[in-house]
């Protein structure tokens, strides 16, 4: 399936904006549902990738759960139709009010990231007369082979409980009366394209679940987080869901009655979104030509922050097919406000529309108001009223 841009509609609109192709989203969700249900795997969509209510309502309608990292995300998930019993709450720094609200909302579980957090959740649950379900987020020390800003499971990472503290966590849990342990949780990083990384994760998890079993501790849920990467060079390709799940099916040993849960974010929403912008100026540098567009790093920060590649297309119909290379840059007063260097485009003019592809994940949600710019708005492929 290919995104077709309604250029004539776009011409009437102010730029920049995010354009979401909802049929691409549905198609992705369909494949995700079929491939995960084959093995009875449970999905919690990671809201941090995109929490636009229009998208969330569609995602929740497929029966998926949600992975949230703030009370505001939980509240958003609830208001968009996600079932509280399918919501998990992660994050190294949950505030007291967030814990308390999540408990009252009756979420499935807290993915706990430190020993002290266990005490705090136990106390708050006690004050509310409730029992908190928790999963221990364990740092398995597996290299994700991805950009260092989005790798989360090396030894020195702030995420999760280190392996050498699991024993202490388990002893502590025995004494905490308002908490029940229902599982263990992992998330080793994002934009992982090498299946070998997930294979390594499976063997590490097998060792860990064996350890719990040897201690006669039942774990109902094994949650392996998200991380499946997408092909930024081929924006119309779907993520490799079938291959991904089959790795876990083949290598991860589940004990009887154990459930396997996943938290995909990027792979669900990246391909349905593009950032649409207009060319403001073309100018010469000493060695290059610049196409200056009206979207900036405030609208899509990934290239500036992670040197991320996004395919850039000039979507205005062209009469000539002269190809020129441009540095495509935004209007912000920072040199890192560059979407791509030496990008091959048809001869581009002021007023042409530019699509920055695969921007549905970690695009709109990471926008800022730096330079006092407006936040980008969103446009959908169909009427959403
Ligand atoms: N679960 C947990 C606990 C996470 O921390 C994340 C992402 C996910 C699931 C979803 O991972 P995904 O399937 O999207 O890879 N802003 C960065 C990505 C940060 C990812 C943070 N955690 C980017 O633009 O590449």
């Amino acid at each position: 399936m290919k995104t077709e841009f309604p250029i004539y509609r776009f011409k009437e609109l102010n730029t920049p904006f995010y354009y979401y192709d909802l049929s691409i989203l549905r198609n992705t969700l369909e494949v995700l549902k079929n491939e995960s249900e084959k093995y009875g795997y449970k999905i919690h969509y990671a809201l941090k990738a995109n929490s636009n209510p229009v998208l969330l309502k569609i995602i929740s309608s497929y029966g998926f759960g949600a992975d949230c990292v703030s009370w505001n995300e939980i509240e958003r998930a609830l208001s968009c139709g996600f079932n509280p019993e399918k919501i998990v709450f992660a994050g190294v720094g949950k505030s007291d009010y967030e814990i308390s609200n999540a408990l009252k909302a009756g979420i499935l579980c807290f993915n706990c990231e430190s020993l002290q957090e266990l005490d705090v959740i136990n106390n708050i649950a006690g004050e509310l007369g409730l029992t908190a379900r928790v999963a221990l987020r364990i740092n398995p020390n597996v290299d994700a082979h991805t950009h260092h800003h989005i790798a989360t499971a090396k030894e020195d990472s702030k995420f999760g409980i280190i392996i050498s503290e699991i024993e202490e966590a388990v002893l502590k849990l025995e004494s905490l009366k308002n908490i029940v342990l229902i599982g263990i949780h992992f998330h080793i990083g994002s934009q992982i394209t090498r299946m070998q990384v997930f294979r390594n994760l499976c063997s590490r998890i097998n060792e860990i679940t064996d350890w719990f079993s040897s201690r006669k501790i039942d774990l109902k849920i094994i949650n392996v987080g998200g991380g499946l990467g997408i092909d930024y060079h081929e924006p119309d390709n779907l993520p490799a869901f079938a291959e991904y799940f089959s790795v876990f099916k083949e290598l991860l040993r589940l004990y009887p009655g154990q459930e396997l849960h996943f938290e995909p974010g990027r792979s669900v929403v990246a391909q349905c979104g593009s950032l649409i912008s207009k060319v403001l100026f073309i100018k010469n540098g000493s060695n290059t030509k610049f196409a200056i567009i009206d979207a900036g790093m405030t609208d899509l920060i990934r290239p500036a922050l992670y040197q991320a590649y996004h395919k850039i297309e000039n979507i205005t119909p062209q009469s000539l097919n002269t190809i020129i290379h441009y540095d495509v840059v935004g209007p912000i007063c920072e040199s890192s406000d560059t979407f791509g260097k030496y990008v091959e485009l048809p001869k581009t003019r002021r007023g042409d529309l530019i699509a920055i592809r695969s921007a549905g994940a970690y695009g709109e949600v990471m926008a800022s108001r730096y330079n006092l710019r407006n936040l980008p708005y969103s446009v959908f492929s169909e009427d959403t009223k």
Side-chain angles (χ1 to χ4, degrees), residues 168-217:
E168 200 182 332
V170 164
L171 290 175
K172 180 184 272 300
L173 280 164
E174 285 168 9
S175 68
L176 300 177
K177 297 294 163 237
N178 310 310
I179 279 192
V180 287
L181 177 70
I182 63 165
I184 50 177
H185 172 246
F186 304 86
H187 172 77
I188 55 173
S190 199
Q191 185 50 19
I192 298 169
T193 48
R194 297 193 207 169
M195 288 296 153
Q196 187 56 40
V197 169
F198 294 116
R199 293 175 169 270
N200 298 346
L201 174 64
C202 288
S203 21
R204 186 56 60 87
I205 296 178
N206 288 339
E207 290 165 19
I208 296 170
T209 51
D210 286 350
W211 182 86
F212 276 92
S213 161
S214 73
R215 303 284 305 248
K216 306 264 175 300
I217 301 170

Side-chain angles (χ1 to χ4, degrees), residues 10 16 28 71 90 96 117 127 134 137 147 185 207 264 268 282 289 293 307 340 354-355 369 372 385:
F10 286 0
T28 310
W71 166 248
D96 293 13
E117 186 188 332
E127 283 161 19
V134 303
R137 174 166 179 181
H147 191 278
H185 172 246
E207 290 165 19
V268 180
I282 301 292
K289 251 190 191 332
I293 63 175
Q307 299 76 51
I354 298 291
R369 295 216 51 204
L372 212 53
K385 296 277 153 33

Side-chain angles (χ1 to χ4, degrees), residues 92-128:
V92 288
K94 304 175 184 77
S95 323
D96 293 13
Y97 87 94
E98 294 186 301
I99 294 171
S100 146
N101 285 351
L103 276 165
K104 289 188 227 157
I107 64 164
L108 171 62
C109 85
F110 292 84
N111 292 332
C112 285
E113 306 224 12
S114 67
L115 270 58
Q116 193 166 29
E117 186 188 332
L118 292 173
D119 283 319
V120 171
I121 293 180
N122 181 63
N123 290 344
I124 298 177
E127 283 161 19
L128 294 172

Side-chain angles (χ1 to χ4, degrees), residues 25-160:
L25 176 64
R26 289 198 189 88
N27 186 31
T28 310
L29 292 167
E30 208 69 54
V31 177
L32 174 62
K33 193 170 169 71
N34 290 339
E35 294 302 333
S36 58
E37 280 182 353
K38 257 190 205 163
Y39 311 120
Y41 295 162
K42 308 267 192 277
I43 303 294
H44 305 269
Y45 164 68
L47 257 82
K48 63 172 81 66
N50 194 317
S51 48
N52 188 308
V54 171
L55 273 59
L56 290 185
K57 284 179 195 154
I58 297 176
I59 297 170
S60 72
S61 75
Y62 282 73
F64 297 131
D67 161 39
C68 300
V69 285
S70 67
W71 166 248
N72 288 351
E73 279 193 357
I74 298 177
E75 209 173 26
R76 174 71 61 88
L78 292 171
S79 74
C80 291
F82 287 92
N83 180 344
E85 288 164 20
K86 292 184 180 175
I87 295 181
V88 297
F89 185 12
V92 288
K94 304 175 184 77
S95 323
D96 293 13
Y97 87 94
E98 294 186 301
I99 294 171
S100 146
N101 285 351
L103 276 165
K104 289 188 227 157
I107 64 164
L108 171 62
C109 85
F110 292 84
N111 292 332
C112 285
E113 306 224 12
S114 67
L115 270 58
Q116 193 166 29
E117 186 188 332
L118 292 173
D119 283 319
V120 171
I121 293 180
N122 181 63
N123 290 344
I124 298 177
E127 283 161 19
L128 294 172
L130 297 168
T131 302
R133 287 172 294 276
V134 303
L136 295 178
R137 174 166 179 181
I138 296 171
N139 176 346
N141 194 15
V142 171
D143 191 343
H145 293 286
T146 184
H147 191 278
H148 61 279
H149 283 183
I150 51 175
T152 49
K154 299 278 277 298
E155 228 164 13
D156 56 355
S157 142
K158 70 172 176 176
F159 298 99

